[in-house]
Amino acid sequence: MSEHIYKKIELTGSSATSMEDAVNNALARAAKTVRNMRWFEVLETRGTITDDHVSLWQVTIKVGFKLEE
């Protein structure tokens, strides 16, 4: 059985729709250059308020991915 080594990176995604979409947007963009992503941890959630309503969600996550052998 081989041992696996993982690395974590920090990303911030945004969405006008929801926190979940903000996370998915960050992961989709990272997937263009990062392979073997395995998990994420939510670090921060922020938002922008416009006219007394949420106009933008921002979510900062740490993403773990397995290093290639």
Side-chain angles (χ1 to χ4, degrees):
M1 183 169 149
S2 66
E3 297 178 8
H4 301 292
I5 305 299
Y6 296 89
K7 181 175 178 80
K8 286 198 273 185
I9 57 174
E10 190 171 298
L11 305 169
T12 300
S14 61
S15 169
T17 307
S18 68
M19 292 183 287
E20 184 177 348
D21 281 351
V23 170
N24 284 323
N25 290 341
L27 293 173
R29 177 57 184 87
K32 292 180 180 181
T33 57
V34 178
R35 293 185 299 279
N36 301 315
M37 290 188 289
R38 297 292 189 251
W39 73 88
F40 72 92
E41 309 166 35
V42 175
L43 301 177
E44 289 184 319
T45 304
R46 295 179 294 286
T48 302
I49 302 167
T50 304
D51 296 326
D52 300 327
H53 292 90
V54 176
S55 59
L56 184 71
W57 293 95
Q58 286 186 324
V59 180
T60 300
I61 59 176
K62 280 196 177 179
V63 177
F65 62 96
K66 186 176 80 152
L67 296 178
E68 294 180 346
E69 309 258 343

